[in-house]
Amino acid sequence: MNKQQIFKKRPVGAANASTWSLETNPIPELEEGQVLIKNHYISLDPAMRGWMNEGKSYIAPVEIGAVMRAGSVGEVIKVKNHPTFKEGDFISGHGGVQQYVATDGKGYYKVDPKLAPLPTYIGTLGMPGMTAYFGILEVGKIKEGDIVVVSGAAGAVGSIVGQIAKIKGCKVIGIAGGADKCKYVVDELGFDACIDYKNEDVKQRLKQECPKGLDVYFDNVGGEILDAALGRLRMHARVVICGAISQYNNKENMRGPSNYLSLLVNRATMQGMVVFDWADRYGEAGQQMGKWMAEEKLKTREDVYEGIENFPETYNRLFSGEKLGKLVLKVVED
């Protein structure tokens, strides 16, 4: 049997346990050209909240009654004349929050558990890592000596963004919630400084850490922190809009930036980015980040929880801040 988290209703504000229903259904029968995957790990990402909304976006919303969308990595356990995958292959794609998935393999790619642990392929070597890599290099256009500020610095994307910026010779200031996260960002990840937005005045600390302003702001949170960063832009600064986690659960309209005229004064740019636009270059990014990991220049951390039945409470850790690094749910039963 196949345990699945089925999307039941579109949330208003924060999602809760009633948003999904844990159901047990038969493992699907394979059609010609399909493979059956036993999911081992499920990726939990802030983008999931946007996927639940009805309306125009960069990807179609999850349909009511469908398995909740999620990135995944697992093992091929059955094949029916598939041209690419065979039994025993480990592959990653969007398998959803379920134990088993039958698929034609479109959008999936092979991974090697001997080169890196499976959770890494839905973290640093998966969508969050790709987002960080292309966001800071292609959209942020960092260069040596730049002053880079990253919000959500202890999270799956922000932690990689800051490390790549350090590798490229930038000064990097993180913004995170709580003393423990800030200590992790500085002591373990090597950021130059980290601002605790829960206990410090972000505007004042930015002024201290960036007395001459900042060149690149990589935004994962939106709201007041985005406004504070806009107030510190240097000439020709770049603002990368990756996410706005502080705004996703609003019951009313999102709060837009009030400091946007700083873009005009400083001839700066603010650009949104969606990682799928670089899908044809994922291999390039994976190779480079794998090399940095082997050289111990890039650290990765996954925060792993267990049990598909615990998906709703694990998902909520994305917004409560009760996690460090990449949030992952282990669904395979040993």
Side-chain angles (χ1 to χ4, degrees), residues 39-43 71-74 118-119 122 304 328-332:
N39 283 335
H40 283 227
Y41 296 93
I42 298 297
S43 175
S72 61
V73 62
L118 287 179
I122 50 175
V304 181
V328 174
L329 186 66
K330 182 181 179 183
V331 298
V332 67

Side-chain angles (χ1 to χ4, degrees), residues 7 38 43 50 71 93 103 110 126 128-129 136 150 153 157 162 185 233 238 252 263 266 271 279 282 302 329:
F7 184 52
K38 183 177 184 179
S43 175
T103 174
K110 291 182 185 180
I136 194 61
V150 185
V157 174
V185 165
L233 299 184
R238 288 84 68 200
E252 299 176 356
L263 298 169
N266 295 292
Q271 181 178 339
Y282 286 175
E302 292 81 33
L329 186 66

Side-chain angles (χ1 to χ4, degrees), residues 91-107:
I91 62 177
S92 184
H94 275 80
V97 188
Q98 57 186 336
Q99 292 176 308
Y100 298 89
V101 58
T103 174
D104 62 6
K106 184 178 180 181

Side-chain angles (χ1 to χ4, degrees), residues 18-278:
S18 67
T19 303
W20 306 277
S21 172
L22 180 64
E23 298 184 7
T24 302
N25 294 302
I27 295 174
E29 293 291 329
L30 289 186
E31 298 178 3
E32 192 72 14
Q34 286 191 324
V35 299
L36 181 66
I37 303 167
K38 183 177 184 179
N39 283 335
H40 283 227
Y41 296 93
I42 298 297
S43 175
L44 287 92
D45 301 282
M48 290 172 131
R49 181 60 189 84
W51 298 342
M52 294 184 241
N53 292 336
E54 196 168 27
K56 183 180 178 182
S57 185
Y58 63 88
I59 191 171
V62 181
E63 295 182 4
I64 300 294
V67 175
M68 181 61 200
R69 180 185 296 147
S72 61
V73 62
E75 182 181 3
V76 176
I77 60 171
K78 193 174 180 181
V79 177
K80 192 167 184 180
N81 297 323
H82 196 274
T84 305
F85 303 129
K86 63 182 185 301
E87 288 185 20
D89 284 344
F90 285 87
I91 62 177
S92 184
H94 275 80
V97 188
Q98 57 186 336
Q99 292 176 308
Y100 298 89
V101 58
T103 174
D104 62 6
K106 184 178 180 181
Y108 281 83
Y109 57 94
K110 291 182 185 180
V111 301
D112 188 347
K114 294 178 182 177
L115 296 179
L118 287 179
T120 306
Y121 289 105
I122 50 175
T124 302
L125 297 178
M127 186 174 70
M130 301 296 131
T131 301
Y133 184 91
F134 293 109
I136 194 61
L137 295 177
E138 298 292 335
V139 183
K141 296 181 174 63
I142 53 171
K143 58 186 183 298
E144 187 174 357
D146 276 350
I147 309 299
V148 177
V149 175
V150 185
S151 61
V157 174
S159 61
I160 304 302
V161 167
Q163 290 183 84
I164 292 174
K166 285 299 297 179
I167 289 169
K168 294 296 185 179
C170 302
K171 177 182 177 180
V172 181
I173 296 95
I175 302 174
D180 289 344
K181 287 187 177 181
C182 288
K183 181 176 174 59
Y184 164 71
V185 165
V186 174
D187 293 351
E188 294 192 40
L189 301 183
F191 286 42
D192 295 284
C194 191
I195 300 167
D196 179 0
Y197 74 85
K198 291 185 176 180
N199 298 295
E200 296 182 284
D201 185 319
V202 175
K203 287 184 180 180
Q204 188 60 36
R205 278 295 311 278
L206 280 175
K207 189 175 181 180
Q208 292 173 3
E209 299 295 342
C210 315
K212 296 183 180 180
L214 62 92
D215 297 291
V216 179
Y217 173 56
F218 195 101
D219 188 33
N220 289 301
V221 302
E224 293 180 3
I225 293 176
L226 171 58
D227 262 340
L230 288 174
R232 299 301 303 166
L233 299 184
R234 282 165 67 159
M235 194 67 70
H236 304 297
R238 288 84 68 200
V239 178
V240 184
I241 303 296
C242 177
I245 197 168
S246 73
Q247 304 296 302
Y248 290 161
N249 291 324
N250 284 358
K251 293 183 179 181
E252 299 176 356
N253 291 336
M254 281 195 181
R255 170 186 166 169
S258 59
N259 265 350
Y260 77 96
L261 282 179
S262 179
L263 298 169
L264 169 68
V265 172
N266 295 292
R267 289 70 143 182
T269 60
M270 183 160 67
Q271 181 178 339
M273 65 91 55
V274 174
V275 69
F276 303 142
D277 293 345
W278 287 273

Side-chain angles (χ1 to χ4, degrees), residues 269-332:
T269 60
M270 183 160 67
Q271 181 178 339
M273 65 91 55
V274 174
V275 69
F276 303 142
D277 293 345
W278 287 273
D280 60 340
R281 294 177 57 192
Y282 286 175
E284 164 201 328
Q287 284 187 340
Q288 180 60 78
M289 287 193 290
K291 182 174 182 291
W292 285 333
M293 289 168 64
E295 295 169 347
E296 298 185 348
K297 294 179 180 178
L298 181 64
K299 295 181 180 180
T300 180
R301 177 166 180 164
E302 292 81 33
D303 203 351
V304 181
Y305 295 84
E306 295 192 19
I308 194 167
E309 66 278 2
N310 297 320
F311 167 74
E313 63 187 67
T314 308
Y315 163 88
N316 284 330
R317 291 178 181 272
L318 289 167
F319 300 93
S320 67
E322 298 176 65
K323 71 171 187 77
L324 201 57
K326 170 66 187 150
L327 189 62
V328 174
L329 186 66
K330 182 181 179 183
V331 298
V332 67

